[in-house]
Amino acid sequence: MSFSKFTEEDNELIRKSSDDLMAAARKRCADENELEVVRKALDFASEAHKNVRRRSGGPYIIHPIEVAKIVVTSIGLGYKSISAALLHDVVEDTDYSVEDIRNLFGDKIASLVDGLTKIKNVLDNEDKSKKNSNEIESLQAENFKRILLTLNDDVRVVLIKLADRLHNCRTIEYMPEYKRDKILSETMFIFIPLAHRLGLYEIKSEMENIWLKYKEPQAYAEIKSQIENSISGREKEVDDFIEPIGKALKDAGFSFEIRKRVKTPYSVWHKMRTKNITFEQVYDLYALRIIDRKSVV
């Protein structure tokens, strides 16, 4: 982190990100009182991180705002979790304490922030002297267990931490190499399995692709290009295939949704590696899912 007075361009970026977050939060908040708590947390975090910059050079406050956006749009959590996401680095990086958060925002939000701070401390306090890969994996396995135990306290702590890790992955290009390697290793060993266990498959897939992009850049670039070339111009074929299926289901009185998905670069790479096959032997690049709307809660 570094410090320098925000420019008007910085302030405009913060305003735009804040407006986007508040628009998303409004859809999840039950009333104006809940929305006001989010707004209060946003204002408090903005002041606490004022003139602080990330390694990218951008305002630090953009990070908690983006984490809060993931919390509300990708995970669907409510106002307390959105507020905790906004405040998650305040205790760690400023002079404010958990008690200050409790006095201002209540016990539950303070408890969420405290849980997030503890997870960060678990990950940051690794024994740097351990160089052996087996020792590192053993330590990460222990950290994984500790984070899993947090699920018993409040699963929202782990969900918010996953959002935090996803945004750190999205901005990993600005990290020094030693920090990048640590984040990628933790992400693969701890956070991707957590996302899978919790059913957050989009977050899991995005983290897997980022891992592949930085750990196996040549394979990532080649597979990504092959996927794009393979599916280019095939949208009409897929739509033509779907059309009679959709008509038959509609005529039968079903309420449904048909979703298309394209296999991710990581998924293709993993299949090629584990099955010892070539890209041309991956036959399920496209997949369809038919969802019964009546069964969706």
Side-chain angles (χ1 to χ4, degrees), residues 192 203-213 264 266:
I192 287 173
I203 289 176
K204 169 183 173 286
S205 293
E206 186 174 350
M207 288 194 294
E208 286 174 338
N209 284 333
I210 292 170
W211 182 91
L212 183 65
K213 180 179 179 180
T264 65
Y266 176 86

Side-chain angles (χ1 to χ4, degrees), residues 157-175:
V157 173
V158 176
L159 292 171
I160 298 167
K161 187 60 190 178
L162 278 167
D164 176 46
R165 177 49 57 108
L166 177 57
H167 187 252
N168 280 329
C169 286
R170 287 176 177 175
T171 57
I172 201 169
E173 63 186 289
Y174 301 108
M175 299 286 182

